[in-house]
Amino acid sequence: MLFSTWLFDVSKLPRRSLWKSNWFIQEKSCKILSLIVSVRPTQNGIIANGESSQSKSKSTSIDDVLKGLVEWLCAQLKNPSHPSRGVPSSISCLSTLLKEPIVRSSFVQADGVKLLIPMISPASTQQSIQLLYETCLCVWLLSYYEPAVEYLATSRTLPRLVEVVKSSTKEKVVRVVVLTLKNLLSKGTFGPQMVELGLPQIVQSLKAQAWSDEDLLEALNQLEEGLKDNIKKMSSFDKYKQEVLLGHLDWSPMHKDPIFWRENISNFEENDFQILRVLITILDTSGDPRALAVACYDLSQFIQHHSSGRLIVNDLKAKERVMKLMNHENTEVTKNALLCIQRLFLGAKYASFLQA
C-alpha cells in the first residue's frame, strides 16, 4: 500500500477502534507510526510513492494523521492508559515526532508544552533518567520553534533546566540540556535570567569535568561565551542583584559607589524588597566573613539613601541579626555591623555623617 494512502486509511478509522484496544497494541502502533513518519524519505519535495509532497490532498491526509496522533499523545500525558508505560511511551514518541514542523505546531496548539514542564526534574533511577532525557530532547526540539519558545519563556522551564544540568551526571542528559540552553540564550530575556540563576558558575563547574562528548565540550564553550556577553550588557544593578542572589558578596566597586546607590535606590523596592530580604538572610546563613561584612554595609547604605530606609529595615527584622554580628570574631564584620546599627538608630538625616 502506498505510504500516503495508508496514512489516509488510518486517519479514517474510528478513534475507538484505533486506540481503545489493549495497551500493547496502542504502544506498538504509536511507536511504529512515529518511526515511519520520522524516516519517510523525501527528496526535493517528493514522497517515496513518487507524488509531490505539495499535493494538497496528500499533505492534508498526512497532517491529519499527525494531528490526531499528537492529540492522543497529549491525552496520554494528561491521563495515561497504562500506569507505568503511558507517559514514558508518549514522551519517547514525541521525542521522535517533534522533528516535524507540523507536529511542533500541533503540539503547541494542543497546549502540550505545559505537560512537559513538570517532568523536567533531577532523576536517579535508570528509567527516570531515560524519561528525563527524552523530555529534555522534546524541549530542545521545541527550542527551534518560536511559538513554543514564547511559552517556555513564561513558564518555570528555565529554572528546571538549570537545576537538572547542575545536578545531573549522565552525559547525554547534560548534553541535551546544554544544547537547549545554548539555543535559548539569545532569545527574549533568557540570557539575563540564566545569569541570575547562576548558570555562568555552573558552566565553569561542568567544564572542569571529564566529558568524552566533543559536541558537549563545544556547546559548553559557546554557552560560556554567550553568558559573558550577557553579563557585559547587564546594568550595574543587574550585576549587583546577581551577586546578592547568588550569595557571592565581595567588595566590588559598586558597593562603595555613592552614584550607584543614588541612581538605583528605588530598584531595591522590586518584588517586595527582595534584595533586602536576601541580604538579611545572608546575615543568618552565611559563614563567610566577607559576605557578612558586605551585607551589613549594603544595609547601612540603603538606610542612608532611601527616605524610609530605617523603617523598612526595621520592619524586616534586620536589627537583631545585625546586632549579633557586633560580637563577631572578624573585625571587618564588627566594623560594618556597628555602622549599620548606628544608621539604624540615627536614620538617613544624620547617617551621612558616619563614614565606613
Side-chain angles (χ1 to χ4, degrees):
M1 183 181 290
L2 296 179
F3 173 70
S4 58
T5 305
W6 179 79
L7 283 179
F8 177 77
D9 290 342
V10 171
S11 70
K12 294 299 183 182
L13 288 173
R15 185 158 302 191
R16 190 175 193 82
S17 64
L18 185 59
W19 301 120
K20 294 300 183 182
S21 53
N22 65 59
W23 172 251
F24 178 84
I25 296 175
Q26 292 182 30
E27 182 178 31
K28 298 307 175 186
S29 299
C30 179
K31 289 190 173 183
I32 291 170
L33 183 54
S34 298
L35 289 171
I36 291 173
V37 169
S38 68
V39 301
R40 72 184 192 278
T42 60
Q43 186 174 7
N44 297 325
I46 304 298
I47 296 181
N49 61 9
E51 295 173 311
S52 171
S53 63
Q54 301 302 316
S55 167
K56 184 176 181 181
S57 60
K58 303 302 179 186
S59 63
T60 300
S61 63
I62 294 171
D63 289 356
D64 285 346
V65 170
L66 291 176
K67 288 177 181 177
L69 181 56
V70 168
E71 289 175 5
W72 184 81
L73 290 169
C74 289
Q76 287 298 306
L77 295 179
K78 293 176 184 175
N79 186 22
S81 301
H82 192 281
S84 62
R85 292 297 307 153
V87 170
S89 295
S90 299
I91 292 293
S92 180
C93 290
L94 282 167
S95 68
T96 300
L97 289 168
L98 283 168
K99 299 171 186 175
E100 297 284 327
I102 182 62
V103 174
R104 295 176 192 173
S105 173
S106 299
F107 188 67
V108 171
Q109 290 175 17
D111 213 12
V113 182
K114 73 176 183 181
L115 303 174
L116 298 177
I117 312 304
M119 287 179 274
I120 306 173
S121 60
S124 54
T125 66
Q126 189 60 41
Q127 185 178 6
S128 60
I129 289 173
Q130 183 62 23
L131 177 60
L132 173 62
Y133 168 70
E134 291 179 336
T135 300
C136 292
L137 185 57
C138 290
V139 177
W140 173 64
L141 291 167
L142 288 168
S143 70
Y144 289 96
Y145 184 56
E146 197 58 39
V149 171
E150 291 174 3
Y151 183 88
L152 295 174
T154 60
S155 67
R156 290 277 303 163
T157 306
L158 186 58
R160 286 177 173 271
L161 288 172
V162 170
E163 187 60 33
V164 166
V165 81
K166 179 181 178 181
S167 60
S168 182
T169 57
K170 199 70 174 177
E171 188 162 325
K172 67 178 184 179
V173 174
V174 174
R175 181 182 65 246
V176 73
V177 175
V178 168
L179 290 171
T180 303
L181 294 171
K182 183 169 73 74
N183 275 1
L184 296 174
L185 180 62
S186 61
K187 299 177 180 180
T189 61
F190 279 108
Q193 288 181 59
M194 290 180 192
V195 173
E196 190 172 300
L197 289 167
L199 191 58
Q201 290 78 12
I202 295 171
V203 170
Q204 288 178 6
S205 176
L206 289 172
K207 287 185 66 178
Q209 299 180 41
W211 306 109
S212 60
D213 190 320
E214 292 184 2
D215 290 339
L216 171 56
L217 296 173
E218 182 182 355
L220 282 169
N221 287 330
Q222 293 173 348
L223 183 57
E224 183 179 44
E225 290 304 311
L227 289 167
K228 285 180 180 177
D229 289 341
N230 270 272
I231 291 173
K232 290 177 184 176
K233 295 173 185 175
M234 292 170 67
S235 69
S236 58
F237 186 76
D238 288 329
K239 294 177 183 178
Y240 173 81
K241 184 177 179 181
Q242 182 205 9
E243 187 180 310
V244 173
L245 293 178
L246 293 175
H248 300 159
L249 293 179
D250 205 346
W251 290 116
S252 50
M254 54 194 152
H255 292 278
K256 295 194 175 184
D257 181 2
I259 297 175
F260 167 80
W261 288 97
R262 285 197 300 270
E263 292 181 349
N264 293 285
I265 196 66
S266 62
N267 291 329
F268 283 81
E269 300 175 7
E270 293 176 359
N271 299 321
D272 193 24
F273 299 97
Q274 178 192 26
I275 295 298
L276 289 184
R277 294 177 188 277
V278 175
L279 286 172
I280 294 168
T281 300
I282 289 172
L283 298 181
D284 271 336
T285 60
S286 179
D288 178 13
R290 178 63 56 83
L292 293 172
V294 175
C296 287
Y297 180 81
D298 286 359
L299 287 171
S300 73
Q301 292 290 59
F302 177 80
I303 295 167
Q304 178 178 346
H305 290 90
H306 195 287
S307 58
S308 303
R310 183 171 59 156
L311 293 174
I312 293 166
V313 172
N314 270 321
D315 285 345
L316 294 175
K317 311 297 182 186
K319 184 171 69 175
E320 295 80 1
R321 295 170 171 86
V322 177
M323 290 186 73
K324 288 180 182 178
L325 295 175
M326 292 176 64
N327 296 319
H328 198 277
E329 59 186 13
N330 183 281
T331 56
E332 186 181 30
V333 175
T334 57
K335 171 187 172 182
N336 287 284
L338 176 61
L339 176 66
C340 185
I341 288 298
Q342 288 173 331
R343 287 181 172 164
L344 264 175
F345 282 112
L346 292 175
K349 183 177 179 181
Y350 303 102
S352 59
F353 292 102
L354 298 171
Q355 300 299 319

